[in-house]
Amino acid sequence: MPNSYSAGDYLSLEEMGRLARRRRKAQNETQEDAAAALQVEQSNISRAENGRSNAKGTLFRLIRRYTDFDVTPEAHYRLIEKSRTQSPASGEDHQ
């Protein structure tokens, strides 16, 4: 597992979940903190960080919140540069 990713990298849901978890923990936030910020249940954060397909929307929002990336909802998920005008916790729920 790479320590860093770049815009244009393709990641599985599991890889994105691990990235989101590492970045959340690096900011000393709990799953409960993330859930409150995204206004979802803590169990949704857990599912997203474990790469569950039924939590893709939450996972994409975690990536936006805790990294400098956004995600394209393609068959293979690719990290892209984030628009500087978008709020980190905002975004469409791509489930």
Side-chain angles (χ1 to χ4, degrees):
M1 170 173 47
N3 288 328
S4 64
Y5 293 100
S6 300
D9 288 351
Y10 287 89
L11 283 76
S12 69
L13 293 175
E14 292 82 10
E15 289 170 314
M16 284 198 310
R18 287 191 296 267
L19 172 61
R21 180 182 298 118
R22 277 197 322 271
R23 297 289 178 90
R24 172 183 57 75
K25 287 183 173 185
Q27 293 183 28
N28 295 314
E29 288 196 15
T30 64
Q31 286 187 344
E32 290 79 8
D33 295 330
L38 298 182
Q39 299 180 342
V40 298
E41 298 291 325
Q42 178 274 328
S43 59
N44 290 350
I45 301 297
S46 177
R47 283 194 295 274
E49 289 183 349
N50 284 305
R52 299 282 303 273
S53 63
N54 65 342
K56 282 190 294 192
T58 300
L59 177 54
F60 296 169
R61 292 173 65 200
L62 286 169
I63 292 293
R64 287 183 200 110
R65 178 172 174 77
Y66 293 107
T67 75
D68 292 329
F69 300 113
D70 201 342
V71 180
T72 60
E74 301 173 354
H76 298 282
Y77 304 103
R78 183 168 50 118
L79 297 174
I80 60 173
E81 298 220 9
K82 189 185 325 180
S83 167
R84 293 293 172 203
T85 60
Q86 185 177 24
S87 167
S90 72
E92 184 177 342
D93 200 7
H94 298 281
Q95 287 192 13

